[in-house]
């Protein structure tokens, strides 16, 4: 076997620690050392559970192995834990449907890359029909919100983070538009706004854009100019003005705290605000060099802590309520390591629902500030 066993009496209290490839990992195992990509992005912290999502991310980021605590995966306890951890969305992610989704996703990435380069280098007109066709096929291939989101966040690709992010934001923006009951034409325009929102980053050198460490002040200032770069690329394109404004304004916030122009709510285009919400959600659920991907409920908590004053109330509340509702009855892991089921949402604190532990006891997380949902299974 490719597995190696290491004795760590001092660190793991007498347990062995095993090095396993992604193929050898089992859902429910415990990570013994942080899992990082070759570029240093943190995929999983020590003491977190292995999920199907993590295994898929390791494969896509080409991570060769993970160190796990040496519990024998063939024991009854491990098998029971693994079986209990498998949700519908994770089974879908391991299916042939996921392989089909991967193929369509990579085809959409290739199409988006061609569009970005042609528009920037050759000032060529953007073929919106072709771009929308590939993305619409991806969107309609999934039956539920959870299936779509699970697959999106399993599809991080190491070499093209810009394009995978733009594709994800386009799909999430379309989902928000569906929740807002927009018409087909508006949905298409909003999707294009999401797909093209970060086109300005093509002008930023890769060593700055994908720098794993902390940015210098000058590098950060350059990154903050990407909305202006994007608008400059798109302004002469035969596109709806709302698509161009989304590129320029997706980092503006209603309270004036955004960039590049510190606009307030009445000056920010609606499409830009929707795309901005999708942009933040996708960024928070992505791996970073300084943290693992956040789970949906941690992202909800961040939005709530930020306060709703940064976003237009109609859009942010619609988004947060639908995200939380998508995970109703889902199995989750709390910050203290306990597995439980979400049984009821708290409309005044969507990130802190009521959960039921395996012993039948109920915890209202809105009254337990010492606990939070750490991961969705």
């Amino acid at each position: 076997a490719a597995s190696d066993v290491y004795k760590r009496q001092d660190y793991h209290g007498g347990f062995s620690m095993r090095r396993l490839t992604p193929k050898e990992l089992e859902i429910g195992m415990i990570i013994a050392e942080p899992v990082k990509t070759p570029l240093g992005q943190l995929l999983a912290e020590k003491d977190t559970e292995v999920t199907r999502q993590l295994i898929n991310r390791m494969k896509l980021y080409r991570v060769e192995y993970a160190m796990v605590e040496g519990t024998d995966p063939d024991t009854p306890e491990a098998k029971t834990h693994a079986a209990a951890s498998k949700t519908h969305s994770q089974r879908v992610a391991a299916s042939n449907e996921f392989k089909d989704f991967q193929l369509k996703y990579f085809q959409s990435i290739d199409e988006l890359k061609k569009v970005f380069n042609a528009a920037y280098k050759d000032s060529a007109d953007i073929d919106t029909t072709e771009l929308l066709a590939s993305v619409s096929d991806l969107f309609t291939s999934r039956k539920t919100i959870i299936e779509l989101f699970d697959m999106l966040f399993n599809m991080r690709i190491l070499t093209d983070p810009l394009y995978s992010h733009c594709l994800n934001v386009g799909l999430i923006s379309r989902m928000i538009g569906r929740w807002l009951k927009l018409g087909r034409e508006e949905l298409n325009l909003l999707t294009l706004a999401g797909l093209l929102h970060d086109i300005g980053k093509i002008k930023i050198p890769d060593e700055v854009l994908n720098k794993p460490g902390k940015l210098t002040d000058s590098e950060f200032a350059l990154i903050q100019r990407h909305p202006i770069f994007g608008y400059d690329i798109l302004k002469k394109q035969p596109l709806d003005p709302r698509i161009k404004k989304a590129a320029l304004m997706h980092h503006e916030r209603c309270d004036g705290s955004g960039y590049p122009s510190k606009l307030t709510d009445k000056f920010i285009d609606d499409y830009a605000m929707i795309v901005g919400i999708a942009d933040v959600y996708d960024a928070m659920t992505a791996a970073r060099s300084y943290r693992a991907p956040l789970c949906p409920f941690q992202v909800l908590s961040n939005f709530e802590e930020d306060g709703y004053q940064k976003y237009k109330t109609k859009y942010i509340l619609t988004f947060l309520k639908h995200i939380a509702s998508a995970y109703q009855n889902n199995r989750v892991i709390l910050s203290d390591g306990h597995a439980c089921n979400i049984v009821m949402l708290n409309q005044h604190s969507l990130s802190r629902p009521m959960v039921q532990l395996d012993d039948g006891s109920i915890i209202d997380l809105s009254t337990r500030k010492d606990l939070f949902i750490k991961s969705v299974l």
Side-chain angles (χ1 to χ4, degrees):
S3 308
D4 291 320
V5 178
Y6 297 83
K7 297 295 182 182
R8 290 287 295 272
Q9 306 290 338
D10 59 326
Y11 191 73
H12 285 281
F15 288 101
S16 61
M17 186 166 62
R18 301 192 301 152
R19 182 171 67 184
L20 300 180
T21 67
K23 290 183 178 180
E24 295 172 316
L25 288 172
E26 294 281 350
I27 294 172
M29 289 179 171
I30 303 299
I31 296 296
E33 292 185 351
V35 179
K36 295 183 179 181
T37 71
L39 290 181
Q41 294 173 307
L42 183 64
L43 295 185
E45 296 174 344
K46 176 183 173 295
D47 296 330
T48 58
E49 289 198 16
V50 173
T51 62
R52 174 61 56 192
Q53 191 177 48
L54 174 60
I55 294 171
N56 287 331
R57 280 182 173 141
M58 287 178 64
K59 291 177 181 177
L60 289 169
Y61 279 97
R62 298 181 179 87
V63 178
E64 295 182 359
Y65 65 87
M67 304 303 295
V68 300
E69 292 185 1
T71 304
D72 185 351
D74 292 326
T75 62
E77 293 81 3
K79 288 184 176 180
T80 300
H81 196 179
S85 298
K86 289 185 178 179
T87 65
H88 172 68
S89 61
Q90 289 169 337
R91 288 194 295 270
V92 169
S95 69
N96 288 330
E97 289 181 332
F98 181 68
K99 294 177 183 177
D100 292 339
F101 187 89
Q102 282 181 312
L103 178 60
K104 293 175 182 176
Y105 190 94
F106 287 130
Q107 289 172 341
S108 295
I109 289 290
D110 288 340
E111 181 64 29
L112 196 57
K113 193 183 300 186
K114 284 190 292 186
V115 165
F116 274 38
N117 281 288
Y120 172 50
K121 295 179 179 178
D122 306 324
S123 299
D125 287 352
I126 294 174
D127 186 347
T128 57
T129 302
E130 188 70 24
L131 194 55
L132 277 172
S134 64
V135 174
S136 296
D137 192 26
L138 267 178
F139 188 87
T140 57
S141 68
R142 305 280 37 94
K143 297 177 183 177
T144 70
I145 299 169
I146 290 181
E147 285 182 24
L148 177 63
F149 278 22
D150 273 352
M151 291 195 178
L152 284 186
F153 302 127
N154 284 334
M155 287 304 306
R156 306 286 182 184
I157 45 179
L158 183 64
T159 55
D160 292 318
L162 168 60
Y163 301 102
S164 60
H165 172 64
C166 287
L167 180 53
N168 288 357
V169 171
L171 289 166
I172 296 170
S173 296
R174 190 177 187 88
M175 180 66 78
I176 299 174
R178 286 272 298 272
W179 293 333
L180 292 168
K181 303 186 186 306
L182 299 184
R184 184 172 182 79
E185 183 178 348
E186 285 189 299
L187 282 176
N188 286 340
L189 288 175
L190 181 58
T191 303
L192 288 168
L195 293 171
L196 299 172
H197 81 287
D198 263 354
I199 192 171
K201 286 183 177 178
I202 199 171
K203 293 185 67 173
I204 298 174
D206 285 344
E207 59 268 23
V208 175
L209 190 60
N210 300 318
K211 184 177 179 179
K214 185 178 179 180
L215 295 172
T216 65
D217 289 346
S218 61
E219 289 170 340
F220 186 67
L222 178 61
I223 291 284
Q224 286 197 317
R225 288 184 57 79
H226 79 267
I228 297 173
F229 297 155
Y231 183 76
D232 287 343
I233 293 171
L234 297 179
K235 64 184 179 183
K236 294 182 180 180
Q237 287 280 340
L239 298 170
D240 188 286
R242 288 170 289 185
I243 297 173
K244 301 173 186 180
K245 289 179 181 178
L248 181 62
M249 301 179 182
H250 64 276
H251 281 290
E252 301 288 358
R253 298 294 179 257
C254 293
D255 61 357
S257 63
Y259 65 88
S261 302
K262 298 190 179 299
L263 301 178
T264 53
D265 55 349
K266 63 181 179 180
F267 298 106
I268 303 172
D269 182 79
D270 285 353
Y271 278 27
M273 183 54 61
I274 296 171
V275 169
I277 292 170
D279 175 52
V280 171
Y281 184 82
D282 188 69
M284 285 186 181
T285 50
R288 290 291 184 263
S289 59
Y290 51 88
R291 63 156 172 80
L294 299 182
C295 89
F297 284 92
Q298 289 174 296
V299 177
L300 293 183
S301 178
N302 284 353
F303 273 117
E304 289 172 339
E305 288 174 7
D306 249 359
Y308 298 141
Q309 70 270 15
K310 290 183 180 294
Y311 306 92
K312 294 188 178 180
T313 304
K314 175 183 178 181
Y315 301 143
I316 190 62
L317 287 182
T318 295
F319 176 71
L320 296 182
K321 286 178 180 179
H322 278 85
I323 292 293
S325 297
Y327 292 96
Q328 178 87 5
N329 301 318
N330 229 86
R331 194 157 177 80
V332 298
I333 298 292
L334 299 181
S335 54
D336 65 357
H338 281 99
C340 54
N341 294 315
I342 296 173
V343 293
M344 184 180 295
L345 297 179
N346 182 343
Q347 296 301 323
H348 300 292
S349 184
L350 292 166
S351 65
R352 293 183 164 275
M354 293 182 69
V355 297
Q356 185 174 34
L357 300 178
D358 291 342
D359 64 5
S361 59
I362 301 291
I363 298 177
D364 183 351
L365 291 177
S366 68
T367 65
R368 289 288 304 274
K369 301 303 182 183
D370 58 315
L371 291 176
F372 62 90
I373 295 174
K374 188 173 184 178
S375 63
V376 176
L377 296 177

